[in-house]
Amino acid sequence: MKIYYKNLQKLPFPVILSFIMKTYTLSPHCHSNWPMAVWKEFRTLPVESCHTHDCYELMIALKDGGVCFIGGAGYAVSAGTLFICPPQDTHAFTLPVGSEICNIMFQPEVLGIEGRKVLDGIRPGAYRLFGNGQLELFERQFAALERELLEQNEGFRAYTGAMLQLILTGIHRQISNLPDVYGSKPDDQMAKIISCIHARFREKLTLAALSKATGVAQEHINRLFHRETRKT
């Protein structure tokens, strides 16, 4: 990806997505054999192409700007937006350089039986959940998770498992009480474009081919992605 980035950055975002599918594994991010990792990421590149994970991933945006694609749907990124991606779920995103994201990656085994039930009740996708006060609370919980996983004091597995279950339970309650909290999906044209990209990600999909397959003019495809990503 580094080799080709100077060429890729000149292409429309839909074309970039179609170049490569990556699979990220959890273990390289862990400080022990406990299958949970958390870290705060500062984006240095604007595009993360289509990829999957071998674990669950929670991403919480700390700044506005960009768009995330999960399961064929595109979601605008704003501070406090939560993205939930189950194992093997295809997703991609484009974010302004300098954006901040909190990542939590884990295997369900770190949760107890009740915690797994809560996890099963959360739909994958994007949720606008965290207001200012809630986002500050989450950042404190996130920092506690990160510290415990790094220091590995006695009982850190029980502590981090319980803390993650607490976070997931709070998310589940908000979703259950606010059925309209689910992030806004793109219009029909954008949904058609994203579905085509995901279906044909192994091809070298050109803008012309994408236009032909979706029936959306090339110029309008560029406008749609500029609207969502704020980039040309």
Side-chain angles (χ1 to χ4, degrees), residues 145-191:
L145 273 177
E146 189 174 32
R147 183 177 60 253
E148 285 290 325
L149 290 171
L150 182 62
E151 296 177 355
Q152 299 181 37
N153 293 318
E154 183 177 355
F156 81 93
R157 291 178 174 83
Y159 183 99
T160 54
M163 178 63 75
L164 179 58
Q165 184 167 320
L166 178 65
I167 292 172
L168 291 172
T169 301
I171 292 170
H172 185 266
R173 285 180 176 177
Q174 289 195 64
I175 293 170
S176 299
N177 294 332
L178 299 171
D180 61 340
V181 78
Y182 206 72
S184 298
K185 291 189 176 181
D187 57 31
D188 291 342
Q189 287 182 323
M190 184 62 117

Coordinates of all heavy atoms in Angstrom, one line a residue, residues 145-191:
L145 N -9.2 0.9 30.3 CA -8.9 -0.3 29.6 C -7.5 -0.4 29.1 O -6.8 -1.4 29.2 CB -9.9 -0.4 28.4 CG -11.3 -1.1 28.6 CD1 -12.1 -1.0 27.3 CD2 -11.1 -2.5 29.1
E146 N -7.1 0.7 28.4 CA -5.8 0.7 27.8 C -4.7 0.6 28.9 O -3.7 -0.2 28.7 CB -5.6 2.1 27.1 CG -4.3 2.1 26.3 CD -4.2 3.4 25.4 OE1 -4.8 4.4 25.9 OE2 -3.6 3.4 24.3
R147 N -4.8 1.2 30.0 CA -3.9 1.1 31.1 C -3.8 -0.3 31.7 O -2.7 -0.8 31.9 CB -4.2 2.1 32.2 CG -3.2 2.2 33.4 CD -3.6 3.2 34.4 NE -4.9 3.0 35.0 CZ -6.0 3.7 34.7 NH1 -5.9 4.7 33.8 NH2 -7.2 3.5 35.3
E148 N -5.0 -0.9 31.9 CA -5.0 -2.2 32.5 C -4.3 -3.3 31.6 O -3.6 -4.1 32.0 CB -6.4 -2.6 32.8 CG -7.0 -2.0 34.0 CD -6.4 -2.5 35.3 OE1 -6.1 -3.7 35.4 OE2 -6.3 -1.7 36.2
L149 N -4.6 -3.1 30.3 CA -4.1 -4.1 29.3 C -2.6 -3.9 29.2 O -1.8 -4.9 28.9 CB -4.7 -3.9 27.9 CG -6.2 -4.4 27.9 CD1 -6.8 -3.9 26.5 CD2 -6.3 -5.9 28.0
L150 N -2.1 -2.7 29.4 CA -0.6 -2.4 29.2 C 0.1 -2.9 30.5 O 1.2 -3.5 30.4 CB -0.4 -0.9 29.0 CG 1.0 -0.5 28.8 CD1 1.7 -1.2 27.6 CD2 1.1 1.0 28.7
E151 N -0.4 -2.5 31.7 CA 0.3 -2.8 32.9 C 0.1 -4.3 33.4 O 1.0 -4.8 34.1 CB -0.2 -1.9 34.0 CG 0.1 -0.4 33.7 CD -0.5 0.5 34.8 OE1 -1.2 0.0 35.7 OE2 -0.2 1.7 34.7
Q152 N -1.0 -4.9 33.0 CA -1.3 -6.3 33.3 C -1.1 -6.6 34.8 O -0.5 -7.6 35.2 CB -0.4 -7.2 32.5 CG -0.5 -7.1 31.0 CD 0.4 -8.0 30.2 OE1 0.6 -9.2 30.6 NE2 0.8 -7.6 29.1
N153 N -1.7 -5.8 35.6 CA -1.7 -6.0 37.1 C -2.6 -7.2 37.4 O -3.4 -7.7 36.6 CB -2.2 -4.8 37.8 CG -1.3 -3.6 37.7 OD1 -0.1 -3.8 37.8 ND2 -1.8 -2.4 37.5
E154 N -2.5 -7.7 38.6 CA -3.2 -8.9 39.0 C -4.7 -8.6 38.8 O -5.3 -7.6 39.2 CB -3.0 -9.2 40.5 CG -3.7 -10.5 40.9 CD -3.4 -10.8 42.4 OE1 -2.5 -10.2 43.0 OE2 -4.0 -11.8 42.9
G155 N -5.4 -9.6 38.1 CA -6.8 -9.5 37.9 C -7.2 -8.6 36.7 O -8.4 -8.3 36.5
F156 N -6.2 -8.3 35.8 CA -6.5 -7.4 34.7 C -7.5 -8.0 33.7 O -8.3 -7.3 33.1 CB -5.2 -6.9 34.0 CG -4.7 -7.9 33.0 CD1 -5.0 -7.8 31.7 CD2 -3.8 -8.9 33.4 CE1 -4.5 -8.7 30.8 CE2 -3.3 -9.8 32.5 CZ -3.6 -9.7 31.2
R157 N -7.5 -9.3 33.6 CA -8.4 -10.0 32.7 C -9.8 -9.8 33.1 O -10.7 -9.4 32.4 CB -8.1 -11.4 32.5 CG -6.8 -11.7 31.8 CD -6.5 -13.2 31.7 NE -5.4 -13.6 30.9 CZ -4.1 -13.5 31.4 NH1 -3.9 -13.2 32.6 NH2 -3.1 -13.8 30.6
A158 N -10.1 -10.0 34.4 CA -11.4 -9.8 35.0 C -11.9 -8.3 34.9 O -13.0 -8.0 34.5 CB -11.5 -10.3 36.4
Y159 N -10.9 -7.4 35.2 CA -11.2 -6.0 35.1 C -11.6 -5.6 33.7 O -12.6 -4.9 33.5 CB -10.0 -5.2 35.6 CG -10.3 -3.7 35.7 CD1 -10.6 -3.1 36.9 CD2 -10.2 -2.9 34.6 CE1 -10.8 -1.7 37.0 CE2 -10.4 -1.5 34.6 CZ -10.7 -1.0 35.8 OH -11.0 0.4 35.9
T160 N -10.8 -5.9 32.7 CA -11.0 -5.4 31.4 C -12.3 -6.1 30.8 O -13.0 -5.5 30.0 CB -9.8 -5.7 30.5 OG1 -9.4 -7.1 30.5 CG2 -8.6 -4.8 30.9
G161 N -12.5 -7.4 31.1 CA -13.7 -8.1 30.6 C -14.9 -7.4 31.2 O -15.9 -7.2 30.4
A162 N -14.9 -7.1 32.5 CA -16.1 -6.4 33.1 C -16.3 -5.0 32.5 O -17.4 -4.6 32.3 CB -15.9 -6.4 34.6
M163 N -15.2 -4.3 32.3 CA -15.3 -2.9 31.8 C -15.9 -2.9 30.4 O -16.7 -2.1 30.0 CB -13.9 -2.2 31.8 CG -13.9 -0.8 31.2 SD -14.9 0.4 32.2 CE -13.9 0.6 33.6
L164 N -15.4 -3.8 29.5 CA -15.9 -3.9 28.2 C -17.4 -4.3 28.2 O -18.2 -3.8 27.4 CB -15.1 -5.0 27.4 CG -15.6 -5.2 25.9 CD1 -15.6 -3.9 25.1 CD2 -14.8 -6.3 25.2
Q165 N -17.8 -5.2 29.1 CA -19.2 -5.6 29.2 C -20.0 -4.4 29.7 O -21.2 -4.2 29.2 CB -19.3 -6.7 30.2 CG -20.8 -7.2 30.4 CD -20.8 -8.5 31.1 OE1 -20.0 -9.4 31.0 NE2 -21.9 -8.7 32.0
L166 N -19.5 -3.5 30.5 CA -20.2 -2.3 31.0 C -20.4 -1.4 29.8 O -21.5 -0.8 29.6 CB -19.4 -1.6 32.1 CG -19.9 -0.3 32.6 CD1 -21.3 -0.5 33.3 CD2 -18.9 0.3 33.5
I167 N -19.4 -1.2 29.0 CA -19.5 -0.3 27.8 C -20.5 -0.9 26.8 O -21.4 -0.1 26.3 CB -18.1 -0.2 27.1 CG1 -17.1 0.6 28.0 CG2 -18.2 0.5 25.7 CD1 -15.7 0.6 27.5
L168 N -20.4 -2.2 26.5 CA -21.4 -2.8 25.6 C -22.8 -2.7 26.1 O -23.8 -2.5 25.3 CB -21.0 -4.2 25.3 CG -19.7 -4.4 24.5 CD1 -19.3 -5.9 24.5 CD2 -19.8 -3.9 23.1
T169 N -23.0 -2.9 27.4 CA -24.4 -2.8 28.0 C -24.9 -1.4 27.8 O -26.1 -1.2 27.5 CB -24.3 -3.2 29.5 OG1 -23.8 -4.5 29.6 CG2 -25.7 -3.1 30.1
G170 N -24.1 -0.4 28.1 CA -24.5 1.0 27.9 C -24.9 1.3 26.4 O -25.9 1.9 26.1
I171 N -24.1 0.7 25.5 CA -24.5 0.9 24.1 C -25.8 0.2 23.7 O -26.6 0.8 23.1 CB -23.3 0.3 23.2 CG1 -22.1 1.1 23.3 CG2 -23.7 0.2 21.7 CD1 -20.8 0.5 22.7
H172 N -25.9 -1.0 24.2 CA -27.2 -1.8 23.9 C -28.4 -1.1 24.5 O -29.4 -1.0 23.8 CB -27.0 -3.2 24.5 CG -28.2 -4.1 24.2 ND1 -29.3 -4.2 25.0 CD2 -28.4 -4.9 23.1 CE1 -30.1 -5.1 24.5 NE2 -29.6 -5.5 23.3
R173 N -28.3 -0.5 25.7 CA -29.5 0.2 26.2 C -29.9 1.4 25.4 O -31.0 1.6 25.2 CB -29.1 0.6 27.7 CG -29.2 -0.5 28.7 CD -28.9 -0.1 30.1 NE -29.0 -1.1 31.0 CZ -28.7 -1.0 32.3 NH1 -28.3 0.2 32.8 NH2 -28.8 -2.0 33.2
Q174 N -28.9 2.1 24.9 CA -29.2 3.3 24.1 C -29.8 2.9 22.8 O -30.8 3.5 22.4 CB -27.9 4.1 23.8 CG -27.4 4.8 25.0 CD -26.4 5.9 24.6 OE1 -26.7 6.9 24.0 NE2 -25.1 5.7 25.1
I175 N -29.3 1.9 22.2 CA -29.9 1.4 20.9 C -31.3 0.9 21.1 O -32.2 1.2 20.3 CB -29.0 0.3 20.3 CG1 -27.7 0.9 19.9 CG2 -29.7 -0.4 19.1 CD1 -26.6 -0.2 19.6
S176 N -31.5 0.2 22.2 CA -32.9 -0.3 22.5 C -33.9 0.8 22.8 O -35.1 0.7 22.4 CB -32.8 -1.3 23.7 OG -32.0 -2.4 23.5
N177 N -33.5 1.8 23.5 CA -34.4 2.9 23.8 C -34.6 3.9 22.7 O -35.6 4.6 22.7 CB -33.9 3.6 25.1 CG -33.9 2.7 26.3 OD1 -34.7 1.8 26.4 ND2 -33.0 2.9 27.2
L178 N -33.6 4.0 21.8 CA -33.7 4.9 20.7 C -33.6 4.2 19.4 O -32.5 4.2 18.8 CB -32.6 6.0 20.9 CG -32.6 6.8 22.1 CD1 -31.3 7.6 22.2 CD2 -33.8 7.7 22.1
P179 N -34.7 3.6 18.9 CA -34.6 2.9 17.6 C -34.2 3.7 16.4 O -33.7 3.1 15.4 CB -36.0 2.3 17.5 CG -36.9 3.3 18.3 CD -36.0 3.7 19.4
D180 N -34.3 5.0 16.5 CA -33.9 5.9 15.4 C -32.5 6.4 15.5 O -32.1 7.2 14.7 CB -34.9 7.1 15.2 CG -34.8 8.0 16.5 OD1 -34.4 7.5 17.5 OD2 -35.2 9.1 16.4
V181 N -31.7 5.8 16.4 CA -30.4 6.3 16.6 C -29.4 5.7 15.5 O -28.3 6.2 15.4 CB -29.8 5.9 18.0 CG1 -29.4 4.4 18.1 CG2 -28.7 6.8 18.4
Y182 N -29.9 4.8 14.8 CA -29.1 4.1 13.8 C -28.7 5.2 12.8 O -29.4 6.0 12.3 CB -29.9 3.0 13.1 CG -29.0 1.9 12.5 CD1 -28.4 1.0 13.3 CD2 -28.9 1.9 11.1 CE1 -27.6 0.0 12.7 CE2 -28.1 0.9 10.5 CZ -27.5 -0.1 11.3 OH -26.7 -1.0 10.8
G183 N -27.4 5.2 12.4 CA -26.8 6.2 11.5 C -27.6 6.4 10.2 O -28.1 5.4 9.7
S184 N -27.6 7.5 9.6 CA -28.2 7.8 8.4 C -27.5 7.1 7.2 O -26.3 7.2 7.0 CB -28.2 9.3 8.1 OG -28.9 10.0 9.1
K185 N -28.3 6.3 6.5 CA -27.7 5.6 5.4 C -27.7 6.5 4.1 O -28.4 7.5 4.1 CB -28.5 4.3 5.0 CG -28.3 3.3 6.1 CD -28.9 2.0 5.7 CE -28.7 0.9 6.7 NZ -29.2 -0.4 6.3
P186 N -26.8 6.2 3.2 CA -26.7 7.1 2.0 C -28.0 7.0 1.2 O -28.8 6.1 1.4 CB -25.5 6.6 1.3 CG -25.4 5.1 1.7 CD -25.9 5.1 3.1
D187 N -28.2 7.9 0.2 CA -29.3 7.8 -0.7 C -29.2 6.6 -1.6 O -28.2 5.9 -1.6 CB -29.5 9.1 -1.5 CG -28.2 9.4 -2.3 OD1 -27.5 8.5 -2.7 OD2 -28.0 10.6 -2.5
D188 N -30.2 6.3 -2.4 CA -30.2 5.1 -3.2 C -29.0 5.0 -4.1 O -28.5 3.9 -4.3 CB -31.5 5.0 -4.0 CG -32.7 4.7 -3.0 OD1 -32.5 4.3 -1.9 OD2 -33.9 5.0 -3.5
Q189 N -28.7 6.1 -4.7 CA -27.5 6.1 -5.6 C -26.2 5.7 -4.9 O -25.5 4.9 -5.4 CB -27.4 7.4 -6.3 CG -28.5 7.7 -7.4 CD -28.2 9.1 -8.0 OE1 -27.8 10.0 -7.4 NE2 -28.5 9.1 -9.3
M190 N -26.0 6.3 -3.8 CA -24.8 6.0 -3.0 C -24.8 4.5 -2.6 O -23.8 3.8 -2.6 CB -24.6 6.9 -1.8 CG -23.4 6.7 -1.1 SD -21.9 7.1 -2.0 CE -21.2 8.5 -1.2
A191 N -25.9 4.0 -2.1 CA -26.0 2.6 -1.7 C -25.7 1.7 -2.9 O -25.0 0.7 -2.7 CB -27.4 2.4 -1.2

